Amino acid sequence: MKSRLKPSTTYILEYLVGGMTEAEILEDFSELTSADIKACLAFAADREKKLFVASL
């Protein structure tokens, strides 16, 4: 049995920016959950916040 690696946060964000829906991503990557995608979005939002504060 082959183990499939989960796509990185960057890839998931790129898929979303490219227009894929959450449902499409989940269909293509059965090892992902809705919570995984939400975690990627939370990570990106937190990183953006930190970059904004650091630039002040």
Short mmCIF file of all heavy atoms in Angstrom, two decimals:
data_model
loop_
_atom_site.label_atom_id
_atom_site.label_comp_id
_atom_site.label_asym_id
_atom_site.label_seq_id
_atom_site.Cartn_x
_atom_site.Cartn_y
_atom_site.Cartn_z
N MET A 1 0.84 -1.19 0.00
CA MET A 1 0.00 0.00 0.00
C MET A 1 0.88 1.24 0.00
O MET A 1 1.72 1.43 0.86
CB MET A 1 -0.88 -0.03 1.24
CG MET A 1 -1.78 1.13 1.39
SD MET A 1 -2.77 0.72 2.85
CE MET A 1 -3.75 2.07 3.05
N LYS A 2 0.69 2.09 -1.00
CA LYS A 2 1.47 3.31 -1.12
C LYS A 2 0.89 4.40 -0.24
O LYS A 2 -0.31 4.58 -0.15
CB LYS A 2 1.43 3.81 -2.56
CG LYS A 2 2.58 3.37 -3.40
CD LYS A 2 2.75 4.32 -4.55
CE LYS A 2 2.58 3.61 -5.85
NZ LYS A 2 2.76 4.42 -7.01
N SER A 3 1.77 5.15 0.36
CA SER A 3 1.34 6.29 1.18
C SER A 3 1.42 7.55 0.32
O SER A 3 2.46 7.82 -0.29
CB SER A 3 2.26 6.41 2.39
OG SER A 3 1.96 7.59 3.10
N ARG A 4 0.33 8.28 0.28
CA ARG A 4 0.34 9.54 -0.46
C ARG A 4 0.59 10.68 0.51
O ARG A 4 -0.01 10.74 1.56
CB ARG A 4 -1.01 9.77 -1.15
CG ARG A 4 -1.19 8.86 -2.34
CD ARG A 4 -2.44 9.17 -3.09
NE ARG A 4 -2.40 10.50 -3.63
CZ ARG A 4 -3.43 11.10 -4.21
NH1 ARG A 4 -4.57 10.48 -4.29
NH2 ARG A 4 -3.33 12.31 -4.68
N LEU A 5 1.50 11.54 0.15
CA LEU A 5 1.79 12.70 0.98
C LEU A 5 0.73 13.76 0.75
O LEU A 5 0.23 13.93 -0.37
CB LEU A 5 3.16 13.27 0.64
CG LEU A 5 4.36 12.36 0.91
CD1 LEU A 5 5.64 13.03 0.41
CD2 LEU A 5 4.47 12.05 2.38
N LYS A 6 0.43 14.50 1.79
CA LYS A 6 -0.51 15.61 1.65
C LYS A 6 0.20 16.75 0.93
O LYS A 6 1.39 16.97 1.13
CB LYS A 6 -0.96 16.11 3.03
CG LYS A 6 -1.90 15.18 3.74
CD LYS A 6 -2.37 15.81 5.03
CE LYS A 6 -3.33 14.90 5.75
NZ LYS A 6 -3.82 15.52 6.99
N PRO A 7 -0.53 17.48 0.09
CA PRO A 7 0.10 18.64 -0.56
C PRO A 7 0.42 19.70 0.48
O PRO A 7 -0.23 19.79 1.52
CB PRO A 7 -0.97 19.13 -1.54
CG PRO A 7 -2.24 18.53 -1.06
CD PRO A 7 -1.90 17.29 -0.30
N SER A 8 1.44 20.49 0.21
CA SER A 8 1.86 21.52 1.16
C SER A 8 0.82 22.64 1.25
O SER A 8 -0.04 22.80 0.38
CB SER A 8 3.20 22.11 0.74
OG SER A 8 3.03 22.90 -0.43
N THR A 9 0.95 23.42 2.30
CA THR A 9 0.08 24.58 2.49
C THR A 9 0.15 25.50 1.27
O THR A 9 -0.88 25.98 0.79
CB THR A 9 0.50 25.35 3.76
OG1 THR A 9 0.33 24.50 4.88
CG2 THR A 9 -0.30 26.61 3.95
N THR A 10 1.35 25.70 0.77
CA THR A 10 1.53 26.58 -0.40
C THR A 10 0.73 26.07 -1.59
O THR A 10 0.04 26.84 -2.26
CB THR A 10 3.02 26.68 -0.77
OG1 THR A 10 3.74 27.19 0.35
CG2 THR A 10 3.22 27.59 -1.97
N TYR A 11 0.80 24.78 -1.86
CA TYR A 11 0.06 24.22 -2.98
C TYR A 11 -1.45 24.39 -2.80
O TYR A 11 -2.16 24.75 -3.74
CB TYR A 11 0.38 22.74 -3.20
CG TYR A 11 1.72 22.48 -3.84
CD1 TYR A 11 2.56 21.51 -3.33
CD2 TYR A 11 2.13 23.19 -4.95
CE1 TYR A 11 3.79 21.26 -3.92
CE2 TYR A 11 3.36 22.96 -5.54
CZ TYR A 11 4.18 21.99 -5.02
OH TYR A 11 5.39 21.75 -5.61
N ILE A 12 -1.92 24.12 -1.60
CA ILE A 12 -3.36 24.26 -1.35
C ILE A 12 -3.80 25.70 -1.56
O ILE A 12 -4.82 25.97 -2.21
CB ILE A 12 -3.72 23.77 0.06
CG1 ILE A 12 -3.50 22.25 0.14
CG2 ILE A 12 -5.18 24.10 0.40
CD1 ILE A 12 -3.61 21.68 1.53
N LEU A 13 -3.02 26.65 -1.07
CA LEU A 13 -3.36 28.06 -1.27
C LEU A 13 -3.33 28.42 -2.75
O LEU A 13 -4.19 29.16 -3.24
CB LEU A 13 -2.42 28.96 -0.46
CG LEU A 13 -2.56 28.84 1.05
CD1 LEU A 13 -1.43 29.61 1.74
CD2 LEU A 13 -3.91 29.32 1.53
N GLU A 14 -2.35 27.89 -3.47
CA GLU A 14 -2.27 28.15 -4.92
C GLU A 14 -3.48 27.57 -5.65
O GLU A 14 -3.99 28.18 -6.59
CB GLU A 14 -0.98 27.59 -5.49
CG GLU A 14 0.24 28.41 -5.10
CD GLU A 14 1.55 27.81 -5.58
OE1 GLU A 14 1.57 26.65 -6.06
OE2 GLU A 14 2.56 28.52 -5.46
N TYR A 15 -3.93 26.39 -5.25
CA TYR A 15 -5.12 25.80 -5.86
C TYR A 15 -6.34 26.70 -5.63
O TYR A 15 -7.13 26.94 -6.55
CB TYR A 15 -5.42 24.41 -5.31
CG TYR A 15 -4.35 23.37 -5.58
CD1 TYR A 15 -4.05 22.41 -4.63
CD2 TYR A 15 -3.66 23.33 -6.78
CE1 TYR A 15 -3.08 21.44 -4.87
CE2 TYR A 15 -2.69 22.37 -7.03
CZ TYR A 15 -2.40 21.43 -6.07
OH TYR A 15 -1.45 20.48 -6.30
N LEU A 16 -6.48 27.20 -4.41
CA LEU A 16 -7.62 28.08 -4.10
C LEU A 16 -7.54 29.38 -4.89
O LEU A 16 -8.53 29.82 -5.47
CB LEU A 16 -7.67 28.37 -2.60
CG LEU A 16 -8.04 27.17 -1.71
CD1 LEU A 16 -7.74 27.49 -0.25
CD2 LEU A 16 -9.50 26.79 -1.90
N VAL A 17 -6.35 29.97 -4.94
CA VAL A 17 -6.17 31.21 -5.71
C VAL A 17 -6.42 30.96 -7.19
O VAL A 17 -6.96 31.81 -7.89
CB VAL A 17 -4.74 31.79 -5.50
CG1 VAL A 17 -4.43 32.89 -6.48
CG2 VAL A 17 -4.59 32.29 -4.07
N GLY A 18 -6.07 29.77 -7.65
CA GLY A 18 -6.28 29.41 -9.06
C GLY A 18 -7.73 29.14 -9.42
O GLY A 18 -8.04 28.91 -10.58
N GLY A 19 -8.59 29.13 -8.41
CA GLY A 19 -10.01 28.98 -8.71
C GLY A 19 -10.62 27.64 -8.31
O GLY A 19 -11.82 27.44 -8.50
N MET A 20 -9.80 26.73 -7.79
CA MET A 20 -10.38 25.45 -7.35
C MET A 20 -11.23 25.68 -6.11
O MET A 20 -10.89 26.49 -5.26
CB MET A 20 -9.28 24.44 -7.02
CG MET A 20 -8.62 23.83 -8.22
SD MET A 20 -7.38 22.58 -7.76
CE MET A 20 -8.43 21.17 -7.43
N THR A 21 -12.31 24.98 -6.04
CA THR A 21 -13.15 25.06 -4.84
C THR A 21 -12.64 24.07 -3.81
O THR A 21 -11.86 23.16 -4.13
CB THR A 21 -14.61 24.72 -5.16
OG1 THR A 21 -14.67 23.33 -5.56
CG2 THR A 21 -15.19 25.60 -6.26
N GLU A 22 -13.09 24.25 -2.58
CA GLU A 22 -12.72 23.31 -1.53
C GLU A 22 -13.16 21.90 -1.92
O GLU A 22 -12.40 20.93 -1.75
CB GLU A 22 -13.36 23.72 -0.21
CG GLU A 22 -13.02 22.79 0.93
CD GLU A 22 -13.63 23.22 2.25
OE1 GLU A 22 -13.73 24.42 2.52
OE2 GLU A 22 -14.00 22.32 3.02
N ALA A 23 -14.36 21.78 -2.47
CA ALA A 23 -14.87 20.47 -2.88
C ALA A 23 -13.97 19.82 -3.94
O ALA A 23 -13.71 18.62 -3.89
CB ALA A 23 -16.30 20.59 -3.39
N GLU A 24 -13.49 20.61 -4.90
CA GLU A 24 -12.61 20.07 -5.94
C GLU A 24 -11.28 19.59 -5.35
O GLU A 24 -10.76 18.55 -5.75
CB GLU A 24 -12.36 21.13 -7.01
CG GLU A 24 -13.57 21.42 -7.86
CD GLU A 24 -13.39 22.63 -8.75
OE1 GLU A 24 -12.67 23.59 -8.38
OE2 GLU A 24 -13.98 22.62 -9.85
N ILE A 25 -10.74 20.36 -4.42
CA ILE A 25 -9.48 19.96 -3.79
C ILE A 25 -9.67 18.67 -3.00
O ILE A 25 -8.86 17.75 -3.09
CB ILE A 25 -8.94 21.09 -2.88
CG1 ILE A 25 -8.57 22.32 -3.75
CG2 ILE A 25 -7.73 20.63 -2.08
CD1 ILE A 25 -8.26 23.57 -2.95
N LEU A 26 -10.76 18.61 -2.25
CA LEU A 26 -11.03 17.41 -1.46
C LEU A 26 -11.26 16.19 -2.36
O LEU A 26 -10.88 15.07 -2.01
CB LEU A 26 -12.24 17.63 -0.55
CG LEU A 26 -12.03 18.66 0.56
CD1 LEU A 26 -13.34 18.88 1.32
CD2 LEU A 26 -10.92 18.27 1.50
N GLU A 27 -11.84 16.41 -3.52
CA GLU A 27 -12.06 15.31 -4.47
C GLU A 27 -10.73 14.82 -5.04
O GLU A 27 -10.51 13.62 -5.19
CB GLU A 27 -12.97 15.79 -5.60
CG GLU A 27 -13.36 14.71 -6.57
CD GLU A 27 -14.31 15.23 -7.65
OE1 GLU A 27 -15.22 16.01 -7.32
OE2 GLU A 27 -14.11 14.85 -8.81
N ASP A 28 -9.82 15.75 -5.34
CA ASP A 28 -8.53 15.39 -5.92
C ASP A 28 -7.56 14.80 -4.88
O ASP A 28 -6.66 14.03 -5.24
CB ASP A 28 -7.87 16.61 -6.56
CG ASP A 28 -8.50 16.99 -7.89
OD1 ASP A 28 -9.37 16.24 -8.37
OD2 ASP A 28 -8.13 18.04 -8.44
N PHE A 29 -7.71 15.21 -3.64
CA PHE A 29 -6.79 14.77 -2.58
C PHE A 29 -7.62 14.16 -1.44
O PHE A 29 -7.94 14.84 -0.47
CB PHE A 29 -5.95 15.94 -2.07
CG PHE A 29 -5.09 16.55 -3.14
CD1 PHE A 29 -5.52 17.66 -3.83
CD2 PHE A 29 -3.86 16.00 -3.46
CE1 PHE A 29 -4.74 18.23 -4.82
CE2 PHE A 29 -3.07 16.55 -4.45
CZ PHE A 29 -3.50 17.67 -5.14
N SER A 30 -7.93 12.89 -1.58
CA SER A 30 -8.81 12.23 -0.62
C SER A 30 -8.24 12.18 0.79
O SER A 30 -8.98 11.99 1.76
CB SER A 30 -9.15 10.82 -1.10
OG SER A 30 -7.96 10.06 -1.21
N GLU A 31 -6.93 12.37 0.92
CA GLU A 31 -6.32 12.35 2.24
C GLU A 31 -6.52 13.66 3.01
O GLU A 31 -6.25 13.73 4.21
CB GLU A 31 -4.81 12.03 2.14
CG GLU A 31 -3.98 13.07 1.42
CD GLU A 31 -3.96 12.92 -0.10
OE1 GLU A 31 -4.78 12.17 -0.65
OE2 GLU A 31 -3.13 13.57 -0.72
N LEU A 32 -7.01 14.70 2.32
CA LEU A 32 -7.27 15.99 2.97
C LEU A 32 -8.69 16.04 3.53
O LEU A 32 -9.59 15.35 3.06
CB LEU A 32 -7.11 17.14 1.98
CG LEU A 32 -5.71 17.44 1.49
CD1 LEU A 32 -5.75 18.57 0.46
CD2 LEU A 32 -4.79 17.80 2.64
N THR A 33 -8.85 16.90 4.52
CA THR A 33 -10.17 17.16 5.08
C THR A 33 -10.47 18.65 4.96
O THR A 33 -9.56 19.45 4.71
CB THR A 33 -10.24 16.76 6.57
OG1 THR A 33 -9.37 17.64 7.31
CG2 THR A 33 -9.85 15.31 6.79
N SER A 34 -11.71 18.99 5.17
CA SER A 34 -12.10 20.40 5.18
C SER A 34 -11.30 21.16 6.24
O SER A 34 -10.90 22.30 6.02
CB SER A 34 -13.60 20.50 5.43
OG SER A 34 -14.01 21.83 5.39
N ALA A 35 -11.06 20.51 7.36
CA ALA A 35 -10.28 21.14 8.44
C ALA A 35 -8.85 21.44 7.99
O ALA A 35 -8.27 22.46 8.39
CB ALA A 35 -10.27 20.25 9.67
N ASP A 36 -8.27 20.59 7.14
CA ASP A 36 -6.92 20.84 6.62
C ASP A 36 -6.89 22.12 5.79
O ASP A 36 -5.97 22.93 5.90
CB ASP A 36 -6.45 19.68 5.73
CG ASP A 36 -6.19 18.40 6.50
OD1 ASP A 36 -5.74 18.47 7.66
OD2 ASP A 36 -6.45 17.32 5.93
N ILE A 37 -7.90 22.30 4.95
CA ILE A 37 -7.95 23.49 4.10
C ILE A 37 -8.16 24.74 4.96
O ILE A 37 -7.51 25.77 4.74
CB ILE A 37 -9.03 23.34 3.01
CG1 ILE A 37 -8.62 22.20 2.07
CG2 ILE A 37 -9.24 24.65 2.25
CD1 ILE A 37 -9.63 21.84 1.03
N LYS A 38 -9.03 24.65 5.94
CA LYS A 38 -9.24 25.79 6.85
C LYS A 38 -7.96 26.11 7.62
O LYS A 38 -7.65 27.28 7.86
CB LYS A 38 -10.40 25.50 7.79
CG LYS A 38 -11.75 25.58 7.09
CD LYS A 38 -12.88 25.19 8.01
CE LYS A 38 -14.23 25.30 7.38
NZ LYS A 38 -14.41 24.71 6.08
N ALA A 39 -7.20 25.10 7.98
CA ALA A 39 -5.93 25.32 8.68
C ALA A 39 -4.95 26.06 7.78
O ALA A 39 -4.20 26.93 8.24
CB ALA A 39 -5.34 24.00 9.14
N CYS A 40 -4.94 25.74 6.49
CA CYS A 40 -4.07 26.46 5.53
C CYS A 40 -4.46 27.92 5.45
O CYS A 40 -3.60 28.81 5.43
CB CYS A 40 -4.16 25.82 4.15
SG CYS A 40 -3.40 24.21 4.05
N LEU A 41 -5.75 28.19 5.40
CA LEU A 41 -6.23 29.56 5.33
C LEU A 41 -5.90 30.31 6.62
O LEU A 41 -5.49 31.49 6.58
CB LEU A 41 -7.73 29.60 5.05
CG LEU A 41 -8.13 29.11 3.67
CD1 LEU A 41 -9.65 28.96 3.57
CD2 LEU A 41 -7.61 30.05 2.59
N ALA A 42 -6.04 29.65 7.76
CA ALA A 42 -5.71 30.28 9.04
C ALA A 42 -4.22 30.58 9.11
O ALA A 42 -3.81 31.65 9.58
CB ALA A 42 -6.13 29.38 10.19
N PHE A 43 -3.39 29.66 8.62
CA PHE A 43 -1.95 29.87 8.60
C PHE A 43 -1.61 31.10 7.75
O PHE A 43 -0.82 31.95 8.15
CB PHE A 43 -1.25 28.63 8.03
CG PHE A 43 0.20 28.82 7.76
CD1 PHE A 43 1.14 28.70 8.78
CD2 PHE A 43 0.64 29.13 6.48
CE1 PHE A 43 2.49 28.90 8.52
CE2 PHE A 43 1.99 29.33 6.21
CZ PHE A 43 2.92 29.21 7.23
N ALA A 44 -2.22 31.18 6.57
CA ALA A 44 -1.94 32.31 5.67
C ALA A 44 -2.39 33.63 6.29
O ALA A 44 -1.69 34.64 6.19
CB ALA A 44 -2.63 32.09 4.33
N ALA A 45 -3.54 33.63 6.93
CA ALA A 45 -4.05 34.85 7.56
C ALA A 45 -3.13 35.28 8.70
O ALA A 45 -2.80 36.47 8.84
CB ALA A 45 -5.46 34.62 8.09
N ASP A 46 -2.67 34.32 9.51
CA ASP A 46 -1.78 34.63 10.62
C ASP A 46 -0.44 35.17 10.11
O ASP A 46 0.10 36.14 10.64
CB ASP A 46 -1.57 33.38 11.47
CG ASP A 46 -0.73 33.66 12.70
OD1 ASP A 46 -1.15 34.52 13.51
OD2 ASP A 46 0.35 33.04 12.85
N ARG A 47 0.07 34.56 9.07
CA ARG A 47 1.35 35.00 8.49
C ARG A 47 1.21 36.41 7.93
O ARG A 47 2.09 37.26 8.10
CB ARG A 47 1.78 34.03 7.39
CG ARG A 47 3.13 34.35 6.82
CD ARG A 47 3.63 33.22 5.94
NE ARG A 47 4.99 33.45 5.55
CZ ARG A 47 5.36 34.15 4.47
NH1 ARG A 47 4.45 34.67 3.68
NH2 ARG A 47 6.63 34.30 4.18
N GLU A 48 0.12 36.68 7.27
CA GLU A 48 -0.12 38.01 6.70
C GLU A 48 -0.18 39.07 7.81
O GLU A 48 0.36 40.15 7.67
CB GLU A 48 -1.42 37.99 5.89
CG GLU A 48 -1.65 39.21 5.05
CD GLU A 48 -0.62 39.40 3.95
OE1 GLU A 48 0.04 38.44 3.54
OE2 GLU A 48 -0.45 40.56 3.52
N LYS A 49 -0.86 38.71 8.91
CA LYS A 49 -0.95 39.62 10.05
C LYS A 49 0.44 39.93 10.60
O LYS A 49 0.76 41.09 10.89
CB LYS A 49 -1.78 38.97 11.16
CG LYS A 49 -2.97 39.76 11.61
CD LYS A 49 -3.65 39.13 12.80
CE LYS A 49 -4.30 37.82 12.43
NZ LYS A 49 -5.08 37.22 13.50
N LYS A 50 1.26 38.91 10.73
CA LYS A 50 2.61 39.09 11.26
C LYS A 50 3.45 39.93 10.32
O LYS A 50 4.24 40.78 10.77
CB LYS A 50 3.27 37.74 11.51
CG LYS A 50 2.69 37.02 12.70
CD LYS A 50 3.29 35.66 12.89
CE LYS A 50 2.64 34.97 14.08
NZ LYS A 50 3.02 33.57 14.19
N LEU A 51 3.33 39.73 9.03
CA LEU A 51 4.07 40.54 8.05
C LEU A 51 3.64 42.00 8.11
O LEU A 51 4.45 42.91 8.00
CB LEU A 51 3.89 39.99 6.65
CG LEU A 51 4.58 38.65 6.35
CD1 LEU A 51 4.18 38.15 4.97
CD2 LEU A 51 6.08 38.80 6.45
N PHE A 52 2.33 42.23 8.29
CA PHE A 52 1.82 43.60 8.36
C PHE A 52 2.36 44.30 9.60
O PHE A 52 2.83 45.43 9.53
CB PHE A 52 0.28 43.60 8.39
CG PHE A 52 -0.31 44.96 8.56
CD1 PHE A 52 -0.31 45.86 7.50
CD2 PHE A 52 -0.86 45.35 9.77
CE1 PHE A 52 -0.84 47.14 7.66
CE2 PHE A 52 -1.38 46.62 9.93
CZ PHE A 52 -1.38 47.51 8.88
N VAL A 53 2.31 43.62 10.75
CA VAL A 53 2.80 44.22 12.00
C VAL A 53 4.30 44.47 11.91
O VAL A 53 4.79 45.51 12.34
CB VAL A 53 2.46 43.29 13.20
CG1 VAL A 53 3.17 43.75 14.46
CG2 VAL A 53 0.97 43.24 13.41
N ALA A 54 5.04 43.56 11.31
CA ALA A 54 6.49 43.72 11.19
C ALA A 54 6.86 44.88 10.28
O ALA A 54 7.92 45.48 10.43
CB ALA A 54 7.12 42.42 10.65
N SER A 55 5.99 45.25 9.37
CA SER A 55 6.30 46.34 8.44
C SER A 55 5.97 47.71 9.02
O SER A 55 6.31 48.73 8.42
CB SER A 55 5.53 46.14 7.13
OG SER A 55 4.15 46.35 7.33
N LEU A 56 5.33 47.76 10.18
CA LEU A 56 4.98 49.06 10.80
C LEU A 56 6.15 49.73 11.39
O LEU A 56 7.12 49.60 11.73
CB LEU A 56 3.91 48.87 11.86
CG LEU A 56 2.54 48.42 11.34
CD1 LEU A 56 1.57 48.26 12.51
CD2 LEU A 56 1.97 49.43 10.38
#
